[in-house]
Amino acid sequence: MVQTLDGSKECIKIYVEEYISHNLHYSFTFASFPTSAMKDIMTIMKRKISVILIISLLSFSLFAVTEESAAVSAQRYSALRSPAYSGTLEDVFVNPAALPLIRENILFKVTASSSEAYDTSLLFSSSPAWYIQNLENELQGTVVSGSIALTAKFSNKLTDRTERDNLSFFDIYTGVDIEIDFGYQIGRHFSFGMRLGGGNSLIREDKNVSSYVDVVKNALFSPYEKVQGSERFTSSLGFMVFNDNLSLGITTSSIIGENLDFNNYFSSFIGNTTLAVSYRGDMYSKEGDLNLFVPRVGASISGMGVGKERGLSVSGDLTIQLLKNAYLDTGIKYQYLVRDEVISNILSISVLGALEDFSLSVNLAFDLFGEYKFLPSLIFNYAG
């Protein structure tokens, strides 16, 4: 611990160093916390607890043997997310290489989200609880410390809807997932990152959910069973090359784990890769003032034409900067996706409003030719 004095302010910097094989060196710096000794002591304790928690949860995740990154799933249809975008913590969930490029000065962020996938033929019908079809609720917490972000997520997902006796019944999956992201910047124009994650699932089978009250009662408090073979492990790499306006992002998932075909490693690796490019206007004018309007456009290709999940997307959004910490972001995205040879054409519209430490985003996605044609989601964030 190094203590320095600067006028009446007292700054404490804590350096946590850890040596891993081949002299790989990680240094996490936490600074600057002013004033009283009591605050300094509390800060030190919180930091040590965070480091212990990160190490403990990483150890757990290494023994968890998901399908898809838990955090990414909430952003799948957002018009404001891409592997080539950076600046917010949400971008890290898409590409871990965005971690050192976060413009927000945050220690933690809590996210609550709710999403649906509606068969529009059931909307406003006589079907029981037609407004609950594929409901998924998530609560997620992320701690950011230097070059590391640790995320824990709890989710409930209703699937396999059936009807009888004028009631609706679902299988309810509860998931607990942990992810840890590492991200580093090299020079002025390159960054890379890695994500490791693990989790498990529980199931409540054939539960009556005919109202939102039933969602709480049966999704949280009814008996459950462990889903056999639900232990999962995810891993991914991300890279970004950028200058002031242009950015190139590359992500590849399942670098190790169950989704990787070791018998055909190269094609499997390429099939899990996404390549994205974006252009963003200047946030500040030449005079150093905030620009009121900041446009951004992006495009990506996933699966590189050979993956089980592959596709193309183009997007554009416009940020209205009222203040540095108060802005409105609106965007639109078109995605052409192929999953298990099923083609989806998805149009997404997203609106995000942010004020101080709070933000709220609404995403409306429309699968133009799919069974579930309307996919709305609501995401609330608080950062500290």
Side-chain angles (χ1 to χ4, degrees):
M1 180 173 68
V2 180
Q3 181 173 328
T4 62
L5 294 177
D6 181 11
S8 61
K9 289 188 176 181
E10 183 181 61
C11 298
I12 292 182
K13 292 186 177 180
I14 305 163
Y15 295 91
V16 180
E17 297 182 346
E18 182 179 338
Y19 288 91
I20 299 179
S21 62
H22 303 295
N23 294 319
L24 188 60
H25 175 264
Y26 296 89
S27 176
F28 313 104
T29 303
F30 308 96
S32 308
F33 294 87
T35 67
S36 73
M38 181 57 71
K39 288 184 178 180
D40 293 336
I41 292 173
M42 294 300 295
T43 299
I44 294 172
M45 291 178 63
K46 289 179 181 178
R47 298 301 188 182
K48 289 183 176 180
I49 291 173
S50 296
V51 172
I52 293 172
L53 184 62
I54 288 171
I55 295 173
S56 300
L57 293 178
L58 176 59
S59 299
F60 165 81
S61 70
L62 290 175
F63 287 97
V65 208
T66 146
E67 306 142 2
E68 174 185 80
S69 163
V72 170
S73 64
Q75 307 291 342
R76 175 188 282 274
Y77 299 119
S78 173
L80 307 177
R81 304 293 164 231
S82 165
Y85 292 172
S86 63
T88 70
L89 180 60
E90 286 71 27
D91 296 318
V92 177
F93 300 143
V94 182
N95 187 344
L99 181 57
L101 307 179
I102 295 178
R103 292 188 298 269
E104 305 167 304
N105 183 22
I106 62 173
L107 295 176
F108 68 89
K109 180 172 279 192
V110 177
T111 301
S113 65
S114 182
S115 61
E116 258 286 6
Y118 285 117
D119 179 350
T120 53
S121 66
L122 295 178
L123 294 181
F124 305 103
S125 69
S126 59
S127 179
W130 54 262
Y131 48 87
I132 302 176
Q133 296 187 24
N134 294 276
L135 181 65
E136 182 170 7
N137 296 315
E138 300 178 355
L139 181 63
Q140 177 177 295
T142 301
V143 178
V144 180
S145 180
S147 300
I148 287 182
L150 174 69
T151 300
K153 194 201 79 160
F154 175 83
S155 64
N156 268 304
K157 185 174 184 179
L158 280 62
T159 64
D160 300 322
R161 185 181 195 271
T162 59
E163 298 178 12
R164 60 180 184 270
D165 300 327
N166 203 32
L167 297 172
S168 57
F169 294 82
F170 294 84
D171 289 342
I172 304 172
Y173 287 88
T174 298
V176 178
D177 292 86
I178 294 171
E179 293 181 355
I180 185 166
D181 292 280
F182 304 87
Y184 304 90
Q185 182 173 347
I186 299 177
R188 297 179 56 190
H189 304 294
F190 179 76
S191 67
F192 72 95
M194 182 178 184
R195 173 179 299 121
L196 298 174
N200 208 335
S201 293
L202 308 172
I203 187 172
R204 296 166 169 88
E205 292 187 282
D206 200 34
K207 296 298 180 181
N208 171 33
V209 179
S210 297
S211 68
Y212 286 119
V213 174
D214 291 334
V215 173
V216 177
K217 181 174 66 176
N218 287 328
L220 295 178
F221 300 110
S222 62
Y224 59 83
E225 297 179 357
K226 182 179 177 181
V227 179
Q228 296 299 321
S230 67
E231 298 85 0
R232 51 189 177 264
F233 178 73
T234 58
S235 57
S236 62
L237 287 174
F239 304 90
M240 296 189 77
V241 180
F242 50 85
N243 61 18
D244 293 338
N245 301 105
L246 289 171
S247 179
L248 174 69
I250 302 174
T251 60
T252 183
S253 60
S254 300
I255 55 174
I256 52 177
E258 59 182 323
N259 293 332
L260 189 61
D261 180 8
F262 286 100
N263 294 325
N264 197 354
Y265 186 91
F266 180 76
S267 62
S268 180
F269 184 85
I270 295 298
N272 287 301
T273 296
T274 298
L275 175 66
V277 63
S278 71
Y279 173 86
R280 184 185 181 108
D282 294 326
M283 294 183 62
Y284 295 91
S285 66
K286 294 180 179 180
E287 292 75 24
D289 300 321
L290 279 174
N291 286 324
L292 179 60
F293 299 107
V294 181
R296 180 174 59 181
V297 293
S300 68
I301 177 172
S302 58
M304 309 306 287
V306 298
K308 294 180 180 179
E309 296 189 12
R310 56 192 184 274
L312 299 167
S313 74
V314 291
S315 60
D317 63 89
L318 181 67
T319 302
I320 303 174
Q321 299 186 117
L322 305 176
L323 296 169
K324 187 176 181 181
N325 54 1
Y327 58 90
L328 181 68
D329 202 352
T330 59
I332 187 169
K333 175 192 282 187
Y334 169 75
Q335 299 178 81
Y336 174 85
L337 301 175
V338 180
R339 296 194 190 100
D340 297 323
E341 304 309 319
V342 176
I343 297 175
S344 298
N345 293 269
I346 298 173
L347 182 67
S348 303
I349 300 172
S350 301
V351 179
L352 182 149
L355 178 63
E356 296 288 345
D357 298 328
F358 299 90
S359 69
L360 179 67
S361 63
V362 178
N363 302 315
L364 302 176
F366 303 88
D367 190 343
L368 303 181
F369 306 107
E371 177 182 2
Y372 297 103
K373 294 182 173 61
F374 181 45
L375 305 98
S377 63
L378 183 70
I379 303 175
F380 171 80
N381 289 291
Y382 171 74

